[in-house]
Amino acid sequence: MIGILLAAGFSRRFGAADKLLHTLPDGRPIAVAAAENLIKVIPLTIAVIRPDNQELADQLKNVGLKVVFCEAHETEMADSLSAAVRFAGQFNESSAGFVIALADMPYIKPHTIKAIAHALNAGAAIVAPVYQGKRGHPVGFSANLRNELERLTGDEGARSILKRHADQIKLLECSDCGILTDIDTPEDLITRPHM
């Protein structure tokens, strides 16, 4: 199984500072916290990053992620996701599927990621966590969906695949509010959930 951390966005709503390098109260940059949660469970994790963000690439490499740079025209979510899945194809672990996480969601608990990976290993096509009736991240995809993931384009991420295969989504109830908590603005750091 391969973890994929999407970290190629521009984070325009956060302001001039690089959101993913902004530090949390515990001193870790947002993207590093998200990466550490993912790599604790999935040792082979790939981060997809814009080519102009070498500082973020270095920090994520330091915590053990492999880094792939998307092309300048591939910074929309689906484009960067398809670039990461294509890169992942060189590793045998990709035959067990993918767990796709967002770098601006640093509060997802490793045990939630582990449950998603376990459900994929048990044969689910798509696995999505649910907290209090709301579907969140990360989302697991079986290797059978690799070709569809590789062909994604635009800014919708994998929504089109989720719509096409809605009857194959295994919803995983959890008690982890981190699956819904992304950081888009500096205010989101103040109103973060109690972890």
Side-chain angles (χ1 to χ4, degrees):
M1 187 157 310
I2 290 184
I4 293 176
L5 187 72
L6 300 178
F10 285 98
S11 312
R12 291 183 178 99
R13 284 187 284 169
F14 198 79
D18 187 329
K19 170 177 75 173
L20 297 180
L21 292 171
H22 191 87
T23 53
L24 296 168
D26 67 7
R28 294 180 299 165
I30 290 169
V32 168
E36 287 178 343
N37 293 336
L38 193 55
I39 203 167
K40 275 179 191 167
V41 179
I42 306 173
L44 179 48
T45 291
I46 296 164
V48 58
I49 297 174
R50 293 190 323 274
D52 62 349
N53 204 340
Q54 190 61 51
E55 183 180 352
L56 179 60
D58 291 343
Q59 292 210 24
L60 294 177
K61 284 178 185 173
N62 285 342
V63 295
L65 276 69
K66 295 190 180 305
V67 169
V68 60
F69 291 102
C70 58
E71 299 298 326
H73 65 280
E74 291 181 324
T75 55
E76 298 288 1
M77 189 181 294
D79 297 317
S80 61
L81 173 53
S82 62
V85 174
R86 286 193 303 273
F87 179 80
Q90 67 187 288
F91 302 104
N92 292 335
E93 289 89 341
S94 66
S95 65
F98 311 92
V99 175
I100 298 164
L102 306 179
D104 66 353
M105 297 188 74
Y107 300 121
I108 297 167
K109 299 198 181 316
H111 65 77
T112 303
I113 298 166
K114 189 178 218 172
I116 291 165
H118 181 73
L120 276 182
N121 283 332
I126 300 172
V127 186
V130 174
Y131 176 74
Q132 295 185 351
K134 293 182 182 171
R135 196 167 78 192
H137 293 276
V139 178
F141 292 88
S142 80
N144 294 337
L145 295 169
R146 176 187 304 176
N147 289 341
E148 291 185 50
L149 290 165
E150 288 179 352
R151 288 195 302 265
L152 288 170
T153 58
D155 67 352
E156 267 212 335
R159 279 195 204 107
S160 59
I161 296 175
L162 295 174
K163 285 177 191 167
R164 257 195 314 278
H165 300 282
D167 59 330
Q168 296 178 55
I169 301 174
K170 177 180 178 58
L171 297 176
L172 205 63
E173 292 287 342
C174 70
S175 59
D176 183 357
C177 61
I179 71 162
L180 304 175
T181 309
D182 61 342
I183 296 171
D184 289 323
T185 67
E187 291 72 31
D188 291 336
L189 289 166
I190 298 162
T191 60
R192 70 189 185 281
H194 298 289
M195 294 291 142

